[in-house]
Amino acid sequence: MKYKYLLFWLFTAIVLTFVVSCSEDDIAPKDLSNLQYELPRGEPGSLEEMIYGVYERYGTYILYDFDESVIRTRWTLKWSGWYAPVKPGNEERVKKMVTFLQENLFNGYTDDFVRRNLVYYIFLVDSVQPPLSSKYPAMAVDDHRFIIANIGVQLDDYNDARWTSLRTDLISNFTLGFYEAASIKPTQFIASRTPGMSLGIPSKNMDPLGEYDDYTYMFYLEGFVKWKNLAHGNSNSLTPDEAQDFADYITFLTNNTKTELTNVFNRFERMKERALILVPYLNNILELNVVATQNKNCPEDPIPENFFSQF
């Protein structure tokens, strides 16, 4: 199937795109005939060995030292801006980003799932200009490659909160690509959206138990995980579009503890109803094992195999 693209920004101009196939018959191996790049295997413990390991495991090239022709050719969106390569001496920072991607994104899914849905190329660069959209500070992306910018001393300023936010954005935007890529859409889930819903500013102190902020409580009541990413549109409505709604639920179901999922389902009927509609689609069509993925991401409080059948 033809893979789609998705772009996003991650605080310091980081961008990713991922794709997904929707049934076993539709799964096509990556055709790298025109995209192959000869990677060095590297010495044990080296950055090159780490990058080659990602290629062997997922079929994706992570490049930080490459010929300009590789990054210039075959861009679907005809990106023609300039980029500055990673400066010499930043190998440890490159390794830090590769490790972060492995531990905070790839490891959250099965190897097969990542291999089928990860782009061909991940370019690590110092900076890139101009951006493809004024809504995002520095990015370039197409069907089979993406750039991660600001690989240098900028990473030294990341505190725990910034790394955590980066991880959240990585996961959210990984899942956001699934909707456009799927040839079989989650029609029942989309049909379960409240017709004509246009949520705006909530009242104050909405949650009588004080567990959730006003926005979260208002959206949970209507069956939405969160409000619209304002970078994705100009409407005053905070209601997420279908793609974000879909992606938000995947992140919600696979990155929350059993305790939190149980609490939300018991308190918010619409959240429970919509989740129970979506889970069979994720398991059977998208081939994303929701229970196994949640268990990998929340090993301290995993959900059992029969979790969703209990509601």
Side-chain angles (χ1 to χ4, degrees):
M1 62 182 290
K2 176 64 177 176
Y3 289 120
K4 302 284 186 173
Y5 66 86
L6 171 72
L7 15 125
F8 70 93
W9 62 276
L10 299 172
F11 292 97
T12 58
I14 291 181
V15 58
L16 288 174
T17 180
F18 289 90
V19 291
V20 66
S21 50
C22 56
S23 73
E24 190 65 37
D25 292 338
D26 289 333
I27 295 172
K30 291 180 180 180
D31 179 10
L32 296 175
S33 58
N34 296 319
L35 299 171
Q36 290 190 359
Y37 195 93
E38 187 172 349
L39 288 175
R41 288 181 176 269
E43 298 296 325
S46 67
L47 172 58
E48 285 71 24
E49 182 191 46
M50 175 186 290
I51 289 174
Y52 194 85
V54 170
Y55 168 71
E56 280 196 314
R57 189 170 179 180
Y58 305 117
T60 291
Y61 298 101
I62 296 180
L63 304 179
Y64 74 97
D65 183 11
F66 48 86
D67 187 273
E68 185 170 356
S69 63
V70 181
I71 199 173
R72 291 293 183 192
T73 57
R74 296 185 56 177
W75 284 85
T76 303
L77 297 182
K78 303 187 185 328
W79 174 75
S80 59
W82 60 262
Y83 77 96
V86 174
K87 295 179 175 64
N90 280 292
E91 287 77 13
E92 287 302 314
R93 294 185 177 97
V94 172
K95 183 181 289 189
K96 186 173 184 178
M97 179 55 67
V98 175
T99 301
F100 183 82
L101 290 171
Q102 181 69 61
E103 294 180 350
N104 292 276
L105 182 64
F106 307 158
N107 285 353
Y109 304 86
T110 66
D111 284 6
D112 178 65
F113 190 81
V114 175
R115 187 176 183 88
R116 287 187 287 116
N117 300 310
L118 191 58
V119 290
Y120 300 126
Y121 281 127
I122 299 175
F123 292 102
L124 305 181
V125 302
D126 178 84
S127 54
V128 57
Q129 287 289 337
L132 293 178
S133 168
S134 61
K135 296 175 184 176
Y136 303 92
M139 64 178 64
V141 61
D142 78 348
D143 288 4
H144 53 260
R145 65 189 87 185
F146 59 81
I147 288 177
I148 299 179
N150 290 337
I151 305 301
V153 295
Q154 302 93 321
L155 291 183
D156 297 343
D157 294 330
Y158 279 30
N159 56 25
D160 289 344
R162 204 163 189 181
W163 283 110
T164 298
S165 296
L166 189 154
R167 178 183 182 275
T168 299
D169 284 346
L170 280 171
I171 295 170
S172 297
N173 287 281
F174 178 29
T175 56
L176 193 56
F178 298 166
Y179 184 81
E180 292 297 333
S183 60
I184 302 175
K185 300 296 186 186
T187 53
Q188 287 184 294
F189 173 76
I190 297 304
S192 70
R193 289 163 60 93
T194 304
M197 178 57 61
S198 180
L199 296 171
I201 305 300
S203 303
K204 293 184 177 180
N205 303 316
M206 293 189 69
D207 186 358
L209 300 183
E211 289 184 315
Y212 300 102
D213 63 69
D214 295 333
Y215 279 94
T216 300
Y217 185 84
M218 178 179 70
F219 277 81
Y220 277 4
L221 280 178
E222 299 297 339
F224 294 106
V225 174
K226 62 181 181 180
W227 46 97
K228 179 177 63 180
N229 184 335
L230 297 181
H232 293 165
N234 297 318
S235 170
N236 291 326
S237 171
L238 296 178
T239 307
D241 61 23
E242 294 176 1
Q244 186 191 331
D245 185 24
F246 174 72
D248 289 344
Y249 261 88
I250 296 176
T251 304
F252 170 76
L253 292 169
T254 59
N255 286 271
N256 273 302
T257 63
K258 173 188 174 183
T259 300
E260 178 62 11
L261 290 173
T262 301
N263 187 57
V264 171
F265 290 168
N266 285 336
R267 291 198 61 195
F268 302 94
E269 186 68 20
R270 291 284 288 135
M271 290 292 294
K272 179 181 71 175
E273 289 175 353
R274 301 196 70 213
L276 295 182
I277 290 173
L278 184 61
V279 167
Y281 172 90
L282 298 179
N283 287 330
N284 301 323
I285 302 302
L286 202 60
E287 297 181 356
L288 174 64
N289 187 318
V290 176
V291 172
T293 304
Q294 188 276 346
N295 288 180
K296 289 191 71 173
N297 291 320
C298 303
E300 76 286 356
D301 192 10
I303 58 176
E305 283 291 336
N306 67 341
F307 178 75
F308 295 104
S309 64
Q310 297 174 6
F311 294 92

